[in-house]
Amino acid sequence: MAELRALVAVKRVIDFAVKIRVKPDKTGVVTDGVKHSMNPFCEIAVEEAVRLKEKKLVKEVVAVSCGPTQCQETIRTALAMGADRGIHVEVPAAEADRLGPLQVARVLAKLAEKEKVDLVLLGKQAIDDDCNQTGQMTAGLLDWPQGTFASQLTVEGDKLKVEREIDGGLETLRLKLPAVVTTDLRLNEPRYATLPNIMKAKKKKIEVIKAGDLGVDLTSKISVVSVEDPPQRTAGVKVETTEDLVAKLKEIGRI
Amino acid sequence: MSACGRLLRSAARSCRALAAFTSSRRPLRTSPSGRAFAKELFLGRIEKEAVFPFPEVSQDEFDEISQFVGPVEKFFSEEGQRSTVSARDSAWDLRASVDSRRIDLEGKIPNETLEKLKSLGLFGMQVPEEYGGLGLSNTMYARMGEIIGLDASIAVTLAAHQAIGLKGIILVGSEEQKAKYLPRLASGEHVAAFCLTEPASGSDAASIQTRATLSDDKKHFILNGSKVWITNGGLANIFTVFAKTKVDEADGSSKDKITAFIVERDFGGVTNGKPEDKLGIRGSNTCEVHFDNTQVPVENVLGEVGGGFKVAVNILNSGRFSMGSTVAGMLKKIIEMTAEYACTRKQFNKPLSEFGLIQEKFALMAQKAYVMESMAYLTAGMLDQPGFPDCSMEAAVVKVFSSEAAWQCVSEALQILGGSGYMRDYPYERMLRDSRILLIFEGTNEILRMYVALTGLQHAGRLLTARVKELKHGNVATIMETISRRLWDTLGRNVDMGLTGKLGAVHPSMADSAVKLEENVYYFGRTVETLLIRFGKTIVEEQMVLKRVANILINLYAMTAVLSRASRSIRSGLCNHDHEVLLANTFCTEAYYQNLLALSQLDKYSPENVDEQIKKLSRQILEKRAYICAHPLDRTS
């Protein structure tokens, strides 16, 4: 039964409670001295993997992150939540800024093959770039089935039943393993990494490798031209009656 | 013993010391253990090595602290749960967190919250790893305190459990006692409480009346008595209880001495009263605990029979410094909350932040937070040194400063919000009520001031007595030294204790403040000597004099801490270090002038000193136990 092995990808992002500020030179947002933590959807992915392990459906959970040295903190959090070991794909800080979903997907695809995993779990999107592409691209590169926006996951032998939240409602898919799943909000409630578990996690291994070791090319065909604040919200106008409202809307050409 | 033999022996000793020195990774303290920092200030000496440079933790420890802080902060923050949530994603905010308002209203901490705290590992932070705890150093414990202090009831519950309730077992417990009790205390399966105070014995702890008599078969102590205001009294099943026992002295007489015991609720005869209805920290359980013929096995004596008072003092001293970081954590949060308000609320067409009296409050809060943070972590760093350094004076200083700063700053924060601050919808009134207890428990600030002043004076007194004896015996060197020093003083010499200059411990940007500190310390030492000569042993009675001595010492330690910390910040290139330098210099200037005033009030015929008048006034009031002035409208017809 417990033959499955899972790879969980986690991303270190600016903490969701932080007020984002754009850098004056418009090349990005301020990250120096700003609080970072694990992407909330990645937390849900780790939680799901650990739960599968606790149900004895998965034998080993490997956590992976791509980026500069600080990524190891995020991997450690995954280990404290219950992952067995970690892999840090080291990318120097300057290059890491240009890492996009395609590059990460290439890395994950290679790792999935190298580590011979049956399940790749990711968050549906990262809260910094909101791309919502990495999971899909990884599945494409591996030519594996994918279940995205998962709100429920059940293992049925060598198949995976995935319930997805889509605009029209809920869709249920059955995927043949190996597969890629991206997690959505209502899949589970991630556990806190307790301090005793953090201490135990210190003994777990994190392997550090480079993208080159996997034969992955990190060059990107996309470059960021400028990053700017969204326009300030202008004041609204109050009207007295519905007729006034309709008239106003016609006036500004909205209807 | 021949001189030759003595020479050889001392040579051998120094060789061994040298070998030990070079082989150890951390430099050994070459000064005797009694010479802590604060005590030496009473002699006009700054023990630079003790406080410069500001203590640092290893990179490993720093990484570990950062890892720990994350989950605990997440658990304690309420805002996190409610932001960036769309209507569709409302399931997000179901994560249990700390609802301080509810805890205060209901007068208890919900069980789920307590269970989460236990599973996070927060019930055994300083319990050694081998007994199931986290084995945190004092520095790390102080860091965690910053987060836990965001809810006062939880902070007090946890502190009563581990900083005092079970601390005795860690400090003086036998291996058997540690192995038996610590694991379940660390996991939170058992909760601990510290039982010293009685209805008639608060500050005067030595006068407790609870008795423990040895049974006839000498296998048990029978415990009888009542304790009052015991935090966790209703939740705990393990109590550290202090009781009077009869101890046989060497000369055949017997005396009543205090002994510490580990008492399990299961021993029988242990009951507790209903929770007290308190002004603040209402979520923390405080009640009476009664012992009625409780059988305590002799194996449960903590430390030595008759050595209980020392155990109590050591326990209380060991946890005291963390109040500094706990309060600093709370103040930092308050500054954020009130700054948000001050910058958005407008009156007279300007945001409040542009008015001087509001700006002053922010400078005050930041300054106080900076000082207590610096003192707390300096003290924690000293305590984390190998050997068992005695930092009880420094810890007492941290406690007095932070408790009073908390009360003052929360009040000012409430003031910034004006009428809104007074409303229960906002957390300020609760935080004000919660912080009032800080000046009372863990040793009242009055007692701690007396303790700090008297301990220092005693230390200085011992050396002074030695010197006076030498003077009386006509020791020429001492006489010359004393005369020349008196001469220097009258000529007004410049003091230099090595804090400033090219090789100075303090960074040049704070040279002025360092000079002020050195000057204060020098005159403090001289004043202490004068006081001892003037009062001798009767100084114990002169509380108002002692109060000033203590206040000066508190300022001196504070000035040292901020100068040490800011120097390190600059030299390490931490961000906003120029702001720190500004804070440090501002504080030192204010403290310097406060000290000068206090020092001048300590002069014998000082006109600023109204102590005698104060004593007379209070005598007249307390005689009649009322305000005795005639009413302003009274007439004599």
Side-chain angles (χ1 to χ4, degrees), chain A residues 46-61:
Chain A
V46 175
E47 175 65 24
E48 195 60 24
V50 174
R51 285 193 191 182
L52 288 173
K53 188 175 133 185
E54 286 170 349
K55 287 192 212 143
K56 303 239 195 294
L57 297 165
V58 160
K59 198 172 66 168
E60 194 190 20
V61 176

Side-chain angles (χ1 to χ4, degrees), chain B residues 58-190:
Chain B
S58 65
Q59 185 63 39
D60 271 347
E61 209 179 331
F62 182 72
D63 288 335
E64 204 170 284
I65 297 179
S66 316
Q67 280 263 287
F68 283 159
V69 162
V72 182
E73 258 179 4
K74 222 191 255 185
F75 181 67
F76 274 84
S77 76
E78 308 160 299
E79 283 101 292
Q81 263 62 277
R82 274 180 262 128
S83 67
T84 65
V85 169
S86 69
R88 213 186 121 197
D89 296 346
S90 60
W92 189 251
D93 57 8
L94 286 181
R95 252 213 271 223
S97 68
V98 174
D99 188 346
S100 300
R101 185 148 189 268
R102 185 172 153 217
I103 291 175
D104 180 64
L105 274 169
E106 295 183 3
K108 67 186 286 272
I109 302 171
N111 264 330
E112 321 104 54
T113 311
L114 278 176
E115 288 307 307
K116 278 259 160 59
L117 291 167
K118 289 175 190 175
S119 69
L120 272 172
L122 295 177
F123 270 66
M125 286 190 269
Q126 285 197 293
V127 174
E129 268 183 78
E130 62 258 38
Y131 298 110
L134 298 176
L136 298 189
S137 64
N138 290 302
T139 307
M140 294 220 264
Y141 180 66
R143 180 63 184 92
M144 303 307 291
E146 283 191 41
I147 314 169
I148 298 171
L150 294 175
D151 183 285
S153 299
I154 294 182
V156 166
T157 303
L158 287 176
H161 164 79
Q162 60 195 305
I164 48 176
L166 57 80
K167 193 57 99 59
I169 305 177
I170 299 179
L171 290 178
V172 299
S174 66
E175 282 309 312
E176 292 80 27
Q177 289 168 334
K178 286 183 188 174
K180 181 171 181 194
Y181 291 109
L182 289 180
R184 275 184 284 185
L185 285 167
S187 69
E189 192 187 326
H190 286 164

Side-chain angles (χ1 to χ4, degrees), chain A residues 6-38:
Chain A
L7 183 72
V8 185
V10 294
K11 187 178 182 185
R12 178 175 180 263
V13 298
I14 297 181
D15 187 271
F16 72 112
V18 169
K19 266 211 207 90
I20 309 290
R21 283 183 300 134
V22 175
K23 281 202 280 210
D25 62 5
K26 295 199 179 162
T27 54
V29 299
V30 177
T31 50
D32 263 344
V34 169
K35 182 159 177 239
H36 284 68
S37 44
M38 191 192 289

Side-chain angles (χ1 to χ4, degrees), chain A residues 4 118 155-161 174-179:
Chain A
L4 300 179
D118 309 282
V155 175
E156 294 178 344
D158 65 339
K159 297 214 179 49
L160 209 59
K161 190 169 95 174
R174 206 167 259 112
L175 313 172
K176 253 175 86 172
L177 290 169

Side-chain angles (χ1 to χ4, degrees), chain B residues 273-556:
Chain B
K274 66 175 181 33
E276 303 281 357
D277 193 11
K278 303 189 292 290
L279 168 68
I281 52 167
R282 293 176 62 78
S284 139
N285 171 271
T286 316
C287 60
E288 296 175 0
V289 180
H290 308 280
F291 300 97
D292 189 4
N293 288 323
T294 304
Q295 304 241 12
V296 184
V298 293
E299 295 80 42
N300 278 31
V301 168
L302 199 51
E304 312 246 312
V305 174
F309 191 72
K310 241 177 109 186
V311 171
V313 167
N314 282 342
I315 294 175
L316 290 168
N317 283 343
S318 72
R320 202 165 267 152
F321 72 94
S322 66
M323 192 184 281
S325 60
T326 312
V327 174
M330 180 197 67
L331 277 187
K332 291 192 273 195
K333 185 94 202 293
I334 288 189
I335 292 176
E336 256 177 52
M337 302 192 311
T338 48
E340 194 59 46
Y341 180 81
C343 295
T344 43
R345 162 90 171 172
K346 285 201 169 142
Q347 287 287 272
F348 307 109
N349 265 316
K350 287 200 282 186
L352 296 189
S353 52
E354 292 191 22
F355 294 100
L357 290 182
I358 298 291
Q359 292 165 344
E360 200 177 40
K361 296 185 205 297
F362 283 98
L364 173 80
M365 291 193 286
Q367 215 182 81
K368 297 283 184 183
Y370 188 72
V371 171
M372 68 178 74
E373 240 184 1
S374 312
M375 285 203 290
Y377 283 102
L378 179 61
T379 314
M382 286 201 279
L383 284 167
D384 281 338
Q385 293 290 339
F388 298 101
D390 174 23
C391 299
S392 48
M393 271 180 77
E394 290 83 351
V397 165
V398 174
K399 193 268 187 188
V400 171
F401 185 90
S402 8
S403 53
E404 292 177 2
W407 181 240
Q408 184 187 16
C409 291
V410 180
S411 188
E412 294 285 6
L414 193 155
Q415 186 77 5
I416 294 174
L417 265 80
S420 304
Y422 203 67
M423 299 302 151
R424 284 169 67 159
D425 298 319
Y426 290 82
Y428 303 93
E429 59 83 32
R430 184 193 73 236
M431 292 167 105
L432 190 64
R433 285 185 291 111
D434 285 342
S435 53
R436 186 59 183 85
I437 191 67
L438 296 173
L439 294 95
I440 301 174
F441 71 6
E442 285 237 30
T444 61
N445 285 8
E446 287 77 12
I447 290 290
L448 289 179
R449 281 193 161 87
M450 297 300 109
Y451 169 72
V452 162
L454 286 171
T455 312
L457 287 168
Q458 186 185 55
H459 178 74
R462 246 178 272 139
L463 269 83
L464 181 67
T465 328
R467 190 133 42 94
V468 169
K469 235 194 262 179
E470 283 177 17
L471 283 173
K472 286 204 177 130
H473 284 161
N475 182 315
V476 179
T478 319
I479 295 177
M480 289 310 298
E481 200 229 331
T482 318
I483 294 178
S484 63
R485 192 144 39 88
R486 291 281 153 92
L487 213 61
W488 271 117
D489 282 351
T490 50
L491 291 176
R493 67 138 149 199
N494 267 336
V495 178
D496 182 8
M497 296 182 189
L499 289 186
T500 52
K502 263 179 81 180
L503 297 170
V506 177
H507 190 269
S509 57
M510 292 175 288
D512 272 343
S513 300
V515 165
K516 291 189 170 92
L517 174 61
E518 288 176 336
E519 211 188 285
N520 272 167
V521 171
Y522 178 76
Y523 284 112
F524 182 59
R526 311 293 295 114
T527 309
V528 161
E529 213 179 277
T530 329
L531 287 174
L532 285 168
I533 295 175
R534 193 189 327 155
F535 289 105
K537 292 223 170 86
T538 66
I539 196 147
V540 190
E541 320 283 316
E542 302 291 330
Q543 290 209 333
M544 285 181 266
V545 168
L546 294 173
K547 174 195 77 174
R548 291 194 185 86
V549 170
N551 285 341
I552 299 171
L553 184 79
I554 294 173
N555 272 343
L556 293 178

